Amino acid sequence: MNNGWKWENFFEAFPLILKGLGATVGLTFACFAFALIFGFVWIFLKHIPNKPFVWTVDWIMIFIYSTPPLVQLFFIYYALPMIPVIGVTLNPFICAVLGIGIHYSTYISEIYRSGIESVDKGQWEASKALNFSAFDKWRKIILPQAIPPTIPMLGNYLIIMFKEVPLASTVGVAGILTIANSYGALHFAYLEPLTIVGIIFLTLSYPASILIKKLEVKMNTRFDKNTIIAKPNKKVHKKMNFERSDHIV
Amino acid sequence: MSEQSVKDIEKINTLNTEQIVKYRNVTKSFGDFHVLKGINLDIYSGEKVAIIGPSGSGKTTIIRMLMTLEEPTSGDIIVDGKNLWKMKRNGTSIPANEKHISELRGNIGMVFQHFNLFPHMTILENCMVAPIHVKKEDKKEVQERSIQMLERVGLGNKLNFYPSQLSGGQKQRVAMARALVMRPKIMLFDEVTSALDPELVGEVLEVIRDIAHNDDMAMILVTHEMDFALDVADKVLFLDQGVIIEQGTASEVLEHSKNERVQAFLRRFRKI
Ligand SMILES: Nc1ncnc2c1ncn2[C@@H]1O[C@H](COP(=O)(O)OP(=O)(O)OP(=O)(O)O)[C@@H](O)[C@H]1O
Ligand SMILES: [Mg+2]
């Protein structure tokens, strides 16, 4: 056993571990993207006008977010292939995206819901009075108002998921943690590589969370009179002038 | 003949005789609470109808059912000859589906007490979004028409402003332009000035007056502005506790009503 801190281990392990960062970040974004999309699937399912169906969906969601993501990951990786008929063996990366992504999609769907509920009732009524189809109502009126205020919260979940993806190492998806572990096993030195992992997580998560705080302030004042006056909508202005001069010609 | 009744006859002569909206024994309850108790009402093409009455009498509910924001408990609402909430299938009457309702809803536009503009769009976009996406009209044509309409309501110089940058009166004028570019056959106004500061009421009424005198769509106005109702309405309904207790020309109801309750209501109003 190799006791104590050795800088040569630190400098040797650092570039090796850093090589795994791409995989960790990539997996994070893959899980996040999946959760963002699947979050909408839950919302869609819950808007189907059939009470027993919606209750069933509710219970499935409660089940998913009340059980640990690690259990779900193991289930998809180890148990799913053993189910008769529908059982399939998936590659570890897909398992990780499904396991972590589905788990967090239930949280993200709750965030969407809070955003949707914050849209004024009058907006739904105006959409109806203007005879919007359900699809256009969501696309043009409701979601453009519901989603922007939730962006900071969604960003928080991106950070949380970044910290969760090392779970994927348990089913054999490589990342900074797996590299650190194997470095430790090989050299009988865990102190330096795991410290490095901690440092990497900190240097990415902390600035990201500060960025998100800033975003939050910005979002809260988004429809504020003064902030908008200070920044007129240039895009629309340009487009308009162009189109108008277009048919004057 | 008095000047007022000459004016009334002129108005009636210019009306189309076609009923654009009919209410037949329409009731509405929220739980045990009977808000409307058997409403019968005819509105002719181009007719301007004012609904007045005490708070809670059901005025808003009457027009919200026509806008399909509320479903009647019983009775029929006929729009342009078709039953709004029911359709025929194999000879029997069944609840209308969304396709049926949306076809008829296209005839109707509404201006709300609290404007309900889309805050994430400029006022020009507010006007353009429905004609483009709902009626699938040509974008250029819609844009021209929207600009004309916003100019008409006096906001031609604010096309790229967001609703949050406008006063209440300006917002309400945008809301009217937005409803008008859809070219409805019937426009509903629910106390459109009562959320406004008093000094902004005039500019909004002016726009409605302009629409009422120059456009040939039917209008139903829920209002507390009696002088305004007298000026623009062909017909005035007095609603009390869910029942139309008096209807007639504006002058009949607002100036010469024999009904005790109507008189008491109007007296109270004059005093305020
Ligand atoms: N969604 C609802 N649920 C329960 N009660 C309702 C609902 N909408 C309206 N009501 C009740 O129905 C009655 C009539 O309401 P409505 O808004 O039509 O009155 P109104 O004549 O427009 O009154 P006001 O002049 O105050 O606007 C009121 O007592 C109101 O509280
Ligand atoms: Mg009302």
Side-chain angles (χ1 to χ4, degrees):
Chain A
M1 203 58 167
N2 184 346
N3 287 318
W5 178 271
K6 289 219 176 64
W7 282 105
E8 59 271 32
N9 285 344
F10 182 87
F11 289 115
E12 189 187 20
F14 201 92
L16 292 175
I17 294 174
L18 216 49
K19 272 192 195 138
L21 185 59
T24 301
V25 170
L27 180 60
T28 306
F29 278 105
C31 292
F32 187 60
F34 185 87
L36 286 180
I37 294 166
F38 217 72
F40 276 118
V41 174
W42 294 120
I43 293 285
F44 176 75
L45 293 176
K46 288 221 264 188
H47 275 85
I48 288 174
N50 179 323
K51 284 228 172 94
F53 180 81
V54 171
W55 286 330
T56 315
V57 173
D58 272 336
W59 277 108
I60 293 173
M61 285 180 74
I62 290 171
F63 177 72
I64 291 173
Y65 71 66
S66 313
T67 47
L70 186 59
V71 175
Q72 286 156 25
L73 187 55
F74 277 9
F75 189 90
I76 292 172
Y77 189 67
Y78 295 112
L80 189 62
M82 296 184 179
I83 298 175
V85 189
I86 60 156
V88 279
T89 309
L90 299 168
N91 91 35
F93 185 82
I94 304 279
C95 284
V97 171
L98 284 180
I100 299 170
I102 290 178
H103 183 85
Y104 281 97
S105 72
T106 57
Y107 290 88
I108 285 188
S109 140
E110 281 301 292
I111 293 175
Y112 290 157
R113 193 181 56 84
S114 73
I116 291 164
E117 277 174 7
S118 73
V119 176
D120 183 64
K121 182 173 127 278
Q123 298 291 307
W124 298 80
E125 299 195 339
S127 312
K128 201 167 207 182
L130 290 167
N131 213 2
F132 277 99
S133 66
F135 181 70
D136 282 333
K137 172 183 73 190
W138 283 99
R139 189 172 62 112
K140 289 278 157 195
I141 310 300
I142 305 302
L143 292 180
Q145 295 181 65
I147 300 308
T150 68
I151 288 173
M153 277 191 277
L154 296 175
N156 276 329
Y157 270 95
L158 177 61
I159 297 174
I160 292 172
M161 289 171 81
F162 177 54
K163 294 184 289 182
E164 274 307 3
V165 292
L167 283 182
S169 66
T170 57
V171 295
V173 182
I176 52 179
L177 183 64
T178 18
I179 296 175
N181 253 340
S182 35
Y183 181 91
L186 199 65
H187 301 268
F188 301 106
Y190 285 97
L191 190 56
E192 301 84 356
L194 288 178
T195 305
I196 291 168
V197 171
I199 291 170
I200 292 176
F201 274 108
L202 179 72
T203 44
L204 288 177
S205 298
Y206 186 64
S209 68
I210 289 175
L211 212 72
I212 283 166
K213 282 251 164 57
K214 288 228 169 94
L215 200 63
E216 209 166 342
V217 174
K218 210 168 174 177
M219 282 298 158
N220 286 340
T221 53
R222 180 172 50 121
F223 293 137
D224 191 304
K225 251 187 197 173
N226 304 320
T227 40
I228 293 176
I229 286 179
K231 280 190 263 163
N233 187 333
K234 289 206 188 90
K235 196 185 87 205
V236 175
H237 209 88
K238 258 195 228 146
K239 195 172 71 192
M240 270 260 331
N241 285 342
F242 171 72
E243 282 178 8
R244 292 198 76 183
S245 57
D246 215 36
H247 48 102
I248 291 166
V249 171
Chain B
M1 219 186 299
S2 78
E3 201 184 315
Q4 181 63 41
S5 48
V6 171
K7 210 170 118 198
D8 287 343
I9 289 169
E10 273 172 7
K11 271 183 185 169
I12 290 161
N13 285 342
T14 59
L15 291 179
N16 198 320
T17 47
E18 191 77 4
Q19 287 136 315
I20 184 83
V21 176
K22 292 189 265 189
Y23 285 66
R24 289 293 175 264
N25 299 316
V26 175
T27 70
K28 176 70 188 175
S29 308
F30 293 106
D32 297 339
F33 181 46
H34 304 295
V35 177
L36 294 173
K37 302 158 188 162
I39 299 295
N40 285 290
L41 175 60
D42 288 324
I43 292 160
Y44 294 86
S45 293
E47 197 177 23
K48 321 297 181 208
V49 179
I51 303 180
I52 62 168
S55 181
S57 56
K59 306 180 295 293
T60 297
T61 308
I62 288 193
I63 60 173
R64 281 173 62 84
M65 288 190 303
L66 183 54
M67 192 68 261
T68 70
L69 297 171
E70 220 73 76
E71 192 171 349
T73 306
S74 69
D76 297 299
I77 299 176
I78 315 295
V79 175
D80 215 3
K82 295 191 196 87
N83 200 321
L84 179 57
W85 289 100
K86 291 172 193 161
M87 55 194 254
K88 281 254 158 24
R89 171 97 19 113
N90 304 327
T92 53
S93 169
I94 60 165
N97 59 18
E98 176 55 28
K99 183 170 170 281
H100 174 98
I101 292 175
S102 96
E103 220 165 85
L104 294 178
R105 195 195 281 130
N107 293 311
I108 305 162
M110 182 160 177
V111 182
F112 297 86
Q113 190 172 349
H114 294 105
F115 335 124
N116 298 349
L117 294 179
F118 304 131
H120 58 301
M121 298 180 186
T122 65
I123 67 171
L124 180 60
E125 290 166 338
N126 261 278
C127 292
M128 292 171 60
V129 62
I132 291 172
H133 293 283
V134 177
K135 296 177 94 181
K136 316 279 183 225
E137 290 180 304
D138 174 65
K139 198 176 161 194
K140 265 205 175 134
E141 202 272 322
V142 169
Q143 181 170 337
E144 249 166 82
R145 202 164 88 219
S146 301
I147 292 171
Q148 274 170 16
M149 205 55 87
L150 285 166
E151 278 166 357
R152 181 176 175 190
V153 300
L155 292 167
N157 57 343
K158 298 219 167 6
L159 300 179
N160 295 316
F161 280 52
Y162 284 88
S164 61
Q165 295 170 269
L166 304 181
S167 73
Q170 291 171 330
K171 282 184 208 169
Q172 197 56 297
R173 286 184 277 146
V174 174
M176 279 187 250
R178 182 177 73 175
L180 284 170
V181 289
M182 290 293 275
R183 298 185 167 135
K185 291 185 189 159
I186 311 143
M187 272 270 271
L188 312 177
F189 298 79
D190 187 13
E191 291 193 40
V192 295
T193 57
S194 57
L196 300 177
D197 292 335
E199 74 270 20
L200 301 176
V201 169
E203 64 188 57
V204 172
L205 293 184
E206 208 40 60
V207 171
I208 305 179
R209 197 170 277 134
D210 166 48
I211 302 167
H213 290 324
N214 297 308
D215 291 28
D216 54 9
M217 71 199 142
M219 289 165 60
I220 306 179
L221 305 122
V222 172
T223 184
H224 285 304
E225 308 280 341
M226 300 304 155
D227 295 333
F228 176 71
L230 194 59
D231 180 22
V232 302
D234 303 307
K235 182 157 84 190
V236 173
L237 313 177
F238 186 91
L239 195 67
D240 192 22
Q241 295 180 18
V243 181
I244 297 174
I245 61 170
E246 173 135 356
Q247 64 177 303
T249 65
S251 148
E252 276 167 6
V253 176
L254 294 171
E255 292 180 329
H256 306 109
S257 172
K258 305 261 179 321
N259 188 299
E260 287 276 319
R261 275 192 278 176
V262 178
Q263 283 178 355
F265 174 79
L266 291 173
R267 244 194 330 271
R268 214 163 349 113
F269 240 87
R270 298 262 144 73
K271 263 190 223 142
I272 293 168

XYZ file of all heavy atoms in Angstrom, chain A residues 151-205:
414
model
N -35.712 27.748 -17.083
C -34.357 27.442 -17.561
C -33.335 27.365 -16.423
O -32.537 26.424 -16.380
C -33.943 28.413 -18.686
C -34.720 28.077 -19.954
C -32.434 28.323 -18.972
C -34.528 29.048 -21.097
N -33.353 28.305 -15.465
C -32.401 28.155 -14.356
C -32.577 26.846 -13.595
O -31.588 26.178 -13.264
C -32.728 29.344 -13.450
C -33.380 30.335 -14.338
C -34.125 29.545 -15.362
N -33.838 26.449 -13.360
C -34.069 25.190 -12.645
C -33.586 24.002 -13.465
O -33.015 23.050 -12.929
C -35.557 25.030 -12.334
C -35.988 25.777 -11.087
S -37.647 25.284 -10.594
C -38.635 26.312 -11.648
N -33.818 24.072 -14.767
C -33.336 22.996 -15.633
C -31.810 22.949 -15.590
O -31.209 21.864 -15.556
C -33.820 23.208 -17.073
C -35.340 23.138 -17.279
C -35.713 23.484 -18.720
C -35.883 21.753 -16.928
N -31.203 24.129 -15.564
C -29.746 24.198 -15.469
C -29.240 23.537 -14.197
O -28.236 22.812 -14.209
N -29.949 23.763 -13.097
C -29.574 23.095 -11.850
C -29.591 21.586 -12.013
O -28.724 20.884 -11.506
C -30.540 23.471 -10.729
C -30.152 24.779 -10.084
O -28.963 25.107 -10.033
N -31.125 25.539 -9.620
N -30.585 21.094 -12.738
C -30.648 19.648 -12.944
C -29.522 19.151 -13.828
O -29.061 18.017 -13.662
C -32.033 19.224 -13.460
C -32.920 18.925 -12.282
C -33.778 19.887 -11.769
C -32.820 17.704 -11.620
C -34.528 19.630 -10.646
C -33.575 17.442 -10.495
C -34.425 18.412 -10.006
O -35.150 18.163 -8.897
N -29.072 20.011 -14.748
C -27.911 19.612 -15.557
C -26.714 19.369 -14.632
O -25.996 18.369 -14.777
C -27.601 20.699 -16.589
C -26.368 20.462 -17.462
C -26.523 19.193 -18.293
C -26.106 21.650 -18.378
N -26.528 20.269 -13.667
C -25.400 20.113 -12.734
C -25.597 18.866 -11.862
O -24.666 18.084 -11.651
C -25.250 21.359 -11.853
C -24.912 22.563 -12.730
C -24.168 21.154 -10.796
C -24.889 23.880 -11.996
N -26.813 18.687 -11.376
C -27.088 17.511 -10.546
C -26.813 16.232 -11.328
O -26.202 15.287 -10.828
C -28.558 17.532 -10.039
C -28.739 18.677 -9.036
C -28.925 16.190 -9.404
C -30.170 18.911 -8.612
N -27.215 16.231 -12.584
C -27.006 15.024 -13.389
C -25.529 14.806 -13.686
O -25.063 13.663 -13.728
C -27.822 15.100 -14.687
C -29.309 14.943 -14.403
S -30.352 15.273 -15.817
C -30.226 13.716 -16.657
N -24.803 15.895 -13.874
C -23.348 15.794 -14.075
C -22.725 15.066 -12.891
O -21.836 14.227 -13.046
C -22.797 17.216 -14.224
C -21.300 17.304 -14.361
C -20.635 16.575 -15.329
C -20.569 18.142 -13.525
C -19.257 16.670 -15.469
C -19.191 18.245 -13.658
C -18.537 17.497 -14.625
N -23.242 15.371 -11.704
C -22.708 14.717 -10.513
C -23.225 13.287 -10.346
O -22.690 12.508 -9.569
C -23.040 15.554 -9.266
C -22.316 16.900 -9.287
C -22.533 17.704 -8.034
C -23.947 18.231 -7.954
N -24.140 19.068 -6.750
N -24.297 12.951 -11.065
C -24.883 11.602 -10.961
C -24.298 10.616 -11.963
O -24.352 9.407 -11.740
C -26.380 11.643 -11.229
C -27.332 11.935 -10.118
C -27.262 11.124 -8.844
O -26.385 10.249 -8.675
O -28.115 11.359 -8.006
N -23.752 11.107 -13.087
C -23.352 10.166 -14.139
C -22.252 9.188 -13.730
O -22.142 8.137 -14.361
C -22.993 10.836 -15.492
C -24.218 11.436 -16.127
C -21.885 11.844 -15.330
N -21.431 9.484 -12.707
C -20.483 8.436 -12.300
C -21.172 7.121 -11.959
O -20.541 6.063 -11.986
C -19.808 9.030 -11.066
C -19.837 10.490 -11.312
C -21.153 10.746 -11.989
N -22.480 7.171 -11.671
C -23.233 5.931 -11.480
C -23.047 4.981 -12.654
O -23.051 3.753 -12.489
C -24.742 6.233 -11.390
C -25.322 6.806 -10.102
C -26.822 6.968 -10.272
C -25.012 5.855 -8.958
N -22.877 5.552 -13.834
C -22.778 4.728 -15.043
C -21.567 3.812 -14.997
O -21.525 2.789 -15.678
C -22.736 5.623 -16.282
N -20.570 4.191 -14.178
C -19.385 3.341 -14.086
C -19.750 1.955 -13.541
O -19.077 0.973 -13.823
C -18.326 3.996 -13.207
O -18.791 4.082 -11.885
N -20.857 1.880 -12.789
C -21.258 0.593 -12.208
C -21.704 -0.404 -13.266
O -21.757 -1.595 -13.020
C -22.414 0.757 -11.199
O -23.506 1.380 -11.870
C -21.996 1.600 -10.016
N -22.117 0.103 -14.452
C -22.465 -0.841 -15.508
C -21.400 -0.812 -16.609
O -21.622 -1.307 -17.713
C -23.878 -0.576 -16.094
C -24.935 -0.817 -15.029
C -23.985 0.818 -16.692
N -20.265 -0.201 -16.297
C -19.128 -0.289 -17.206
C -18.996 0.804 -18.240
O -18.346 0.626 -19.260
N -19.634 1.957 -17.989
C -19.416 3.085 -18.894
C -18.241 3.887 -18.353
O -18.258 4.336 -17.209
C -20.662 3.985 -19.003
C -20.420 5.123 -19.982
C -21.862 3.164 -19.431
N -17.215 4.075 -19.179
C -16.011 4.747 -18.703
C -16.242 6.246 -18.575
O -17.010 6.840 -19.300
C -14.864 4.484 -19.655
N -15.528 6.827 -17.615
C -15.586 8.263 -17.401
C -14.462 8.619 -16.475
O -13.591 7.765 -16.201
N -14.422 9.840 -15.944
C -13.279 10.223 -15.108
C -13.165 9.337 -13.865
O -12.072 8.989 -13.442
C -13.308 11.722 -14.724
C -14.638 12.140 -14.116
C -12.985 12.592 -15.919
C -14.669 13.610 -13.710
N -14.303 8.932 -13.312
C -14.236 8.125 -12.102
C -13.637 6.738 -12.372
O -12.817 6.247 -11.587
C -15.626 7.983 -11.469
C -15.662 7.222 -10.147
C -14.878 7.973 -9.069
C -17.097 6.974 -9.687
N -14.048 6.134 -13.483
C -13.509 4.800 -13.802
C -12.006 4.858 -14.040
O -11.258 3.981 -13.599
C -14.180 4.195 -15.064
O -14.797 5.242 -15.787
C -15.164 3.119 -14.707
N -11.574 5.924 -14.734
C -10.133 6.039 -14.996
C -9.379 6.226 -13.679
O -8.351 5.583 -13.426
C -9.843 7.201 -15.958
C -10.492 6.912 -17.318
C -8.333 7.382 -16.136
C -10.372 8.037 -18.311
N -9.912 7.082 -12.821
C -9.280 7.331 -11.527
C -9.178 6.034 -10.724
O -8.151 5.721 -10.123
C -10.058 8.377 -10.746
N -10.265 5.264 -10.763
C -10.296 3.997 -10.047
C -9.248 3.022 -10.565
O -8.545 2.376 -9.790
C -11.680 3.350 -10.192
C -12.446 3.439 -8.904
O -11.840 3.632 -7.842
N -13.754 3.320 -8.979
N -9.173 2.927 -11.888
C -8.217 1.944 -12.404
C -6.781 2.425 -12.190
O -5.887 1.614 -11.951
C -8.487 1.580 -13.868
O -8.941 2.682 -14.574
N -6.584 3.767 -12.224
C -5.259 4.282 -11.896
C -4.897 3.893 -10.462
O -3.813 3.390 -10.179
C -5.204 5.804 -12.046
C -3.832 6.381 -11.742
C -2.901 6.550 -12.757
C -3.471 6.723 -10.435
C -1.649 7.051 -12.479
C -2.214 7.223 -10.149
C -1.301 7.386 -11.182
O -0.062 7.873 -10.899
N -5.863 4.066 -9.589
C -5.654 3.731 -8.179
C -5.330 2.262 -7.991
O -4.412 1.890 -7.256
N -6.062 1.418 -8.700
C -5.858 -0.022 -8.562
C -4.480 -0.435 -9.080
O -3.795 -1.258 -8.478
C -6.959 -0.776 -9.312
N -4.105 0.204 -10.188
C -2.853 -0.145 -10.837
C -1.644 0.274 -10.007
O -0.665 -0.464 -9.881
C -2.804 0.522 -12.215
C -1.823 -0.053 -13.223
C -2.217 -1.481 -13.582
C -1.832 0.819 -14.490
N -1.718 1.480 -9.425
C -0.552 2.044 -8.715
C -0.712 1.976 -7.200
O 0.090 2.545 -6.483
C -0.331 3.499 -9.135
C -0.108 3.656 -10.600
N 1.140 3.655 -11.175
C -0.989 3.776 -11.636
C 1.023 3.802 -12.491
N -0.262 3.867 -12.793
N -1.753 1.363 -6.749
C -2.080 1.346 -5.325
C -2.077 2.758 -4.750
O -1.551 3.005 -3.671
C -1.106 0.448 -4.552
C -1.134 -0.962 -5.057
C -0.094 -1.468 -5.816
C -2.257 -1.768 -4.811
C -0.144 -2.756 -6.307
C -2.294 -3.062 -5.304
C -1.245 -3.559 -6.054
N -2.599 3.718 -5.523
C -2.661 5.108 -5.067
C -4.029 5.679 -5.424
O -4.301 5.952 -6.590
C -1.554 5.928 -5.733
N -4.883 5.798 -4.416
C -6.230 6.321 -4.670
C -6.365 7.775 -4.291
O -7.236 8.488 -4.787
C -7.273 5.504 -3.891
C -7.525 4.154 -4.511
C -6.888 3.009 -4.032
C -8.399 4.038 -5.591
C -7.116 1.780 -4.613
C -8.642 2.802 -6.169
C -8.000 1.677 -5.681
O -8.234 0.475 -6.263
N -5.518 8.235 -3.393
C -5.672 9.577 -2.845
C -5.630 10.639 -3.935
O -6.548 11.470 -4.050
C -4.555 9.813 -1.808
C -4.665 11.065 -0.956
C -5.997 11.121 -0.226
C -3.507 11.096 0.051
N -4.589 10.600 -4.768
C -4.428 11.644 -5.778
C -5.500 11.571 -6.868
O -6.162 12.576 -7.147
C -3.021 11.584 -6.400
C -1.897 11.748 -5.395
C -1.523 10.438 -4.703
O -2.191 9.416 -4.961
O -0.583 10.430 -3.898
N -5.711 10.393 -7.483
C -6.687 10.367 -8.580
C -8.099 10.758 -8.129
O -8.786 11.495 -8.836
C -6.648 8.919 -9.073
C -5.911 8.142 -8.058
C -5.018 9.101 -7.342
N -8.523 10.311 -6.960
C -9.887 10.662 -6.529
C -9.979 12.135 -6.155
O -11.026 12.768 -6.356
C -10.328 9.763 -5.372
C -10.617 8.318 -5.823
C -11.011 7.446 -4.642
C -11.695 8.273 -6.894
N -8.874 12.693 -5.627
C -8.865 14.138 -5.376
C -9.022 14.887 -6.699
O -9.777 15.869 -6.788
C -7.543 14.556 -4.697
O -7.381 13.774 -3.522
C -7.569 16.028 -4.353
N -8.320 14.391 -7.705
C -8.422 15.027 -9.023
C -9.870 15.008 -9.521
O -10.388 16.004 -10.026
C -7.484 14.321 -10.026
C -6.024 14.620 -9.657
C -7.774 14.760 -11.455
C -5.020 13.752 -10.381
N -10.521 13.864 -9.340
C -11.927 13.771 -9.760
C -12.757 14.836 -9.047
O -13.560 15.551 -9.666
C -12.492 12.357 -9.478
C -14.007 12.329 -9.702
C -11.818 11.332 -10.371
N -12.510 14.962 -7.745
C -13.232 15.983 -6.980
C -12.976 17.377 -7.526
O -13.909 18.174 -7.693
N -11.699 17.642 -7.814
C -11.355 18.974 -8.325
C -12.048 19.244 -9.653
O -12.588 20.332 -9.892
C -9.813 19.102 -8.491
C -9.151 19.123 -7.109
C -9.458 20.363 -9.256
C -7.634 19.011 -7.160
N -12.052 18.236 -10.506
C -12.691 18.440 -11.823
C -14.181 18.740 -11.662
O -14.708 19.680 -12.253
C -12.483 17.202 -12.727
C -11.000 17.089 -13.096
C -13.330 17.315 -13.997
C -10.665 15.856 -13.910
N -14.843 17.955 -10.809
C -16.272 18.221 -10.596
C -16.498 19.618 -10.044
O -17.377 20.348 -10.491
C -16.887 17.168 -9.656
C -17.338 15.947 -10.403
C -16.646 14.741 -10.289
C -18.450 16.005 -11.224
C -17.064 13.621 -10.992
C -18.870 14.889 -11.928
C -18.171 13.687 -11.807
N -15.655 19.999 -9.101
C -15.823 21.314 -8.483
C -15.610 22.428 -9.496
O -16.415 23.358 -9.588
C -14.844 21.463 -7.314
C -14.907 22.811 -6.590
C -16.186 22.903 -5.771
C -13.684 23.003 -5.694
N -14.528 22.322 -10.279
C -14.232 23.427 -11.194
C -15.276 23.553 -12.291
O -15.405 24.603 -12.903
C -12.845 23.270 -11.866
O -12.694 21.923 -12.281
C -11.728 23.638 -10.922
N -16.025 22.498 -12.572
C -17.088 22.638 -13.575
C -18.420 23.016 -12.925
O -19.135 23.886 -13.401
C -17.233 21.349 -14.380
C -16.082 21.095 -15.358
C -16.262 19.767 -16.070
C -15.967 22.225 -16.371
N -18.757 22.350 -11.822
C -20.077 22.563 -11.212
C -20.222 23.953 -10.606
O -21.250 24.601 -10.776
C -20.328 21.543 -10.108
O -20.337 20.263 -10.640
